[in-house]
Amino acid sequence: MKNSYGYVRVSTREQNESRQMLALGEAQVPAKNIYMDKQSGKDFRRPMYHRLLKKLKPDDLLYIKSIDRLGRNYREILEQWQLLTKEKKVDIIVLDMPLLDTRRGKDLMGTFLSDIVLQVLSFAAENERENIRQRQKEGIEAAKQRGVRFGRPQAPLPDNFGMVSRRWYQGEISGQEAARLCNMPTTSFYRKAGKRGEGG
């Protein structure tokens, strides 16, 4: 007897999985058979996906919303597709791409067309991720050139910092004593005092 399963992956815990869940519900995948990982695909540590693999039997149906849910890059998507269809002998239905439905065209031509579509889509998915990363990098560089600062805002210097750092420069007190007087970590005091010294 064929069982229907669904797999959902969202990149971070903040990302909403409702779009994928809704699509699987419309495909009439039983809720108890939907496996979901809420973590990045970057390192591919996906416990629910591996649990699903153990559950799948030959001729079962696996529904996914889009091809990039299977892996983090072109090579990995193809590997998982081969594992599922050739080793586990399950059928895959990619809801965003009706051409990727292994129930259709089990003959040589159908398999050939499916493989071509899969490879093109896997490449496109990876290429889009690379483009997004490049746009993010360019956006950050452009923002830095405009003077935008990233990271936590710097804490204001204590009121006595100028006086204490002058005493340190003149050798009256040690760096550790200066940091204690300013109620700062020693490394922070050295860094701030060094910057102020360079700037006059």
Side-chain angles (χ1 to χ4, degrees):
M1 179 181 167
K2 290 184 180 181
N3 287 311
S4 296
Y5 294 91
Y7 179 65
V8 172
R9 178 175 64 79
V10 287
S11 298
T12 65
R13 296 197 179 276
E14 291 77 32
Q15 193 176 352
N16 195 326
E17 70 275 5
S18 58
R19 193 172 64 90
Q20 293 178 67
M21 294 294 285
L22 185 63
L24 293 175
E26 288 173 355
Q28 299 186 327
V29 178
K32 66 183 177 66
N33 287 352
I34 295 176
Y35 290 72
M36 178 169 57
D37 282 308
K38 282 193 172 186
Q39 61 194 80
S40 170
K42 186 177 179 181
D43 57 11
F44 218 61
R45 289 179 191 152
R46 302 190 298 173
M48 296 307 289
Y49 179 73
H50 293 293
R51 190 176 296 181
L52 168 63
L53 286 178
K54 290 177 183 174
K55 192 86 174 171
L56 290 168
K57 300 284 187 294
D59 297 325
D60 281 345
L61 305 178
L62 174 61
Y63 290 82
I64 54 173
K65 179 78 169 73
S66 57
I67 193 65
D68 61 354
R69 300 303 88 193
L70 278 184
R72 58 189 169 177
N73 56 42
Y74 172 67
R75 181 183 57 78
E76 205 157 57
I77 291 169
L78 293 176
E79 278 179 6
Q80 294 306 311
W81 188 274
Q82 292 295 321
L83 168 68
L84 290 161
T85 58
K86 302 294 192 291
E87 292 182 34
K88 303 298 288 186
K89 300 188 185 311
V90 302
D91 279 310
I92 306 175
I93 299 95
V94 180
L95 297 171
D96 278 357
M97 180 55 62
L99 277 171
L100 285 178
D101 181 342
T102 59
R103 295 172 301 178
R104 300 175 182 170
K106 292 280 188 181
D107 59 6
L108 187 61
M109 182 56 74
T111 303
F112 175 68
L113 289 174
S114 180
D115 284 350
I116 288 175
V117 173
L118 170 66
Q119 293 197 36
V120 169
L121 287 178
S122 301
F123 175 78
E126 182 175 2
N127 198 48
E128 177 58 19
R129 278 192 296 274
E130 289 297 329
N131 288 339
I132 289 169
R133 278 197 286 269
Q134 184 61 30
R135 286 196 294 270
Q136 287 173 337
K137 184 180 175 184
E138 289 169 359
I140 290 168
E141 286 302 317
K144 283 180 177 176
Q145 288 176 9
R146 293 195 308 270
V148 175
R149 290 178 177 268
F150 293 90
R152 289 184 300 179
Q154 294 187 2
L157 293 172
D159 294 337
N160 66 342
F161 185 82
M163 179 191 69
V164 172
S165 60
R166 275 194 299 275
R167 291 182 63 197
W168 172 66
Y169 277 126
Q170 291 164 5
E172 295 177 18
I173 56 175
S174 69
Q176 287 182 328
E177 177 65 10
R180 188 187 64 76
L181 290 170
C182 291
N183 196 26
M184 296 170 70
T186 307
T187 53
S188 296
F189 174 79
Y190 284 137
R191 188 171 64 251
K192 301 287 187 184
K195 284 182 180 176
R196 283 172 68 93
E198 288 167 12

